[in-house]
Amino acid sequence: MTLLLAGDIGGTKTILRLVEASDKPVLRTLHEERYSSKDFPDLVPIVKQFLAAVDTPTPQKACFAIAGPVINNTAKLTNLAWFLDTSRLQEQLGIAQVALINDFAAVGYGILGLETEDTLTLQEGKPNPEAPIGIIGAGTGLGQGFLIKTGSAYQVFPSEGGHSDFAPRTELEFQLLKYLLDKHDIQRVSAERVVSGMGIVSIYQFLRDRKIAAESPEVAQAVRTWEREAGQEKSVDPGAAIGTAAVEKRDRLSEQTMQLFVEAYGAEAGNLALKLLPYGGLYIAGGIGPKILPLIKNGSFLLNFSSKGRMRSILQDIPVHIILNSQVGLIGAAISASRL
């Protein structure tokens, strides 16, 4: 039996999970706790507090999924003044092997540990277990990555594909592109500026300013508060307010915002699929998808996913799944730890 420590480390919260690994492929969860990251000066005090509470031997291996880039076994969190280094963590925690991985790479590993009920299949396709697996996930940003099978195991590769160019296809999307270029005084617009939480707000502002539909007081207040708090810590999540209003069909402007968002999301997922040909499955990750599931399932996502001219039939053969389990990154960190 091997004790593993898995962590999902973000600027807002840190989740730790103690896992038992045996000769069987299943990893058994022994204990899990959630902490407010900002209440601690570093990751080490959190881990020590966690291990003291569970009163078990020190884990032999640990892997922490980090919301930010991991370079040469070090990481600086995007929204937190923590600098993490595997050598220091090993020394101060007394854990023999410690790894840091990007949070989207952790999602890639997590796919390998998902159960049937953890996903919803949008398109059956024609699965090929030897082919690559693709991942795309809209949340705070737009993550993209892929898995390639080598022998009996998969290797996970993150990418920065979310920062590739936004490719408008309709007159309305061209207007959105011009709006974003002018509004932010920039030379290019990335896919992430449209397909992400901030993208939802940008689309809403664009449609609002073009007077496509009237605002509802509730959503308008959330968006205005967010705009006033520019450069400050945010007290509202306007993207969530817009998405909820659209799902509940109580605000026409929000519905049109999310319609454009879902179409752009599907199109970008199709772009990734064309580059990878992931007949092993394309997985929709990120926090937004499950929250707007009825909008993802209504057909416009897949329509725009496969709307690639002569390549339509190829994309219709690719299995497409949406990840419902919000802890897929934590599962992936545990799997990654088990492989150290």
Side-chain angles (χ1 to χ4, degrees):
M1 182 190 76
T2 303
L3 282 180
L4 310 173
L5 178 62
D8 187 353
I9 317 300
T12 303
K13 65 181 183 298
T14 289
I15 307 174
L16 298 179
R17 177 182 288 183
L18 187 66
V19 176
E20 179 185 77
S22 61
D23 294 335
K24 299 178 181 180
V26 177
L27 300 177
R28 187 166 71 93
T29 298
L30 301 178
H31 190 68
E32 181 178 317
E33 288 289 345
R34 180 183 299 247
Y35 302 88
S36 172
S37 301
K38 294 180 180 179
D39 291 344
F40 296 84
D42 186 72
L43 177 60
V44 171
I46 300 181
V47 174
K48 288 185 174 181
Q49 181 175 318
F50 174 81
L51 294 178
V54 296
D55 191 26
T56 62
T58 301
Q60 292 99 318
K61 305 175 184 179
C63 179
F64 302 106
I66 307 298
V70 177
I71 302 172
N72 295 327
N73 299 317
T74 65
K76 186 181 186 306
L77 271 73
T78 305
N79 296 309
L80 200 65
W82 290 5
F83 181 79
L84 305 179
D85 178 279
T86 55
S87 298
R88 178 176 68 85
L89 292 173
Q90 287 172 181
E91 179 183 349
Q92 294 183 357
L93 296 174
I95 298 176
Q97 293 176 285
V98 174
L100 302 174
I101 60 174
N102 171 264
D103 56 350
F104 211 74
V107 171
Y109 285 109
I111 287 172
L112 305 176
L114 293 177
E115 304 292 341
T116 304
E117 63 271 17
D118 293 329
T119 62
L120 173 73
T121 298
L122 299 176
Q123 178 170 280
E124 294 286 349
K126 297 178 180 178
N128 177 356
E130 301 302 314
I133 294 172
I135 325 161
I136 184 170
T140 304
L142 178 63
Q144 296 186 12
F146 57 98
L147 292 78
I148 293 179
K149 198 168 189 180
T150 54
S152 60
Y154 281 93
Q155 279 188 282
V156 178
F157 300 90
S159 85
E160 294 298 337
H163 295 285
S164 59
D165 295 332
F166 168 59
R169 301 159 300 138
T170 66
E171 178 60 30
L172 190 61
E173 288 185 351
F174 275 104
Q175 291 178 22
L176 172 62
L177 174 65
K178 182 67 165 58
Y179 174 86
L180 293 173
L181 289 170
D182 292 346
K183 181 181 178 67
H184 299 289
D185 191 23
I186 51 179
Q187 300 300 312
R188 62 180 291 272
V189 172
S190 68
E192 183 177 82
R193 275 197 183 269
V194 177
V195 185
S196 64
M198 69 175 177
I200 292 174
V201 181
S202 293
I203 295 170
Y204 180 93
Q205 292 170 319
F206 161 67
L207 296 177
R208 176 198 66 191
D209 295 349
R210 292 292 186 273
K211 301 189 185 304
I212 300 295
E215 289 186 279
S216 69
E218 179 187 354
V219 177
Q221 182 178 1
V223 174
R224 294 292 194 282
T225 301
W226 181 85
E227 289 172 336
R228 286 196 303 270
E229 293 175 344
Q232 307 173 37
E233 186 173 347
K234 305 297 185 183
S235 64
V236 295
D237 183 351
I242 294 164
T244 301
V247 169
E248 297 176 357
K249 297 185 176 180
R250 51 181 170 81
D251 176 42
R252 182 61 182 153
L253 184 55
S254 293
E255 288 181 59
Q256 292 184 310
T257 295
M258 295 311 297
Q259 177 68 25
L260 185 51
F261 171 82
V262 170
E263 290 172 357
Y265 200 172
E268 181 60 18
N271 290 339
L272 179 63
L274 281 177
K275 295 166 185 172
L276 297 176
L277 297 181
Y279 292 109
L282 179 73
Y283 286 81
I284 312 302
I288 294 176
K291 295 175 183 175
I292 61 166
L293 199 54
L295 308 180
I296 296 283
K297 291 168 60 179
N298 72 5
S300 61
F301 182 93
L302 284 178
L303 177 64
N304 286 272
F305 172 79
S306 60
S307 184
K308 304 294 183 187
R310 292 173 294 168
M311 298 294 103
R312 176 184 294 273
S313 60
I314 289 177
L315 291 175
Q316 289 174 335
D317 287 342
I318 292 174
V320 180
H321 314 282
I322 185 164
I323 299 173
L324 304 177
N325 190 331
S326 62
Q327 293 194 324
V328 59
L330 197 59
I331 294 170
I335 291 174
S336 181
S338 72
R339 293 183 172 191
L340 291 176

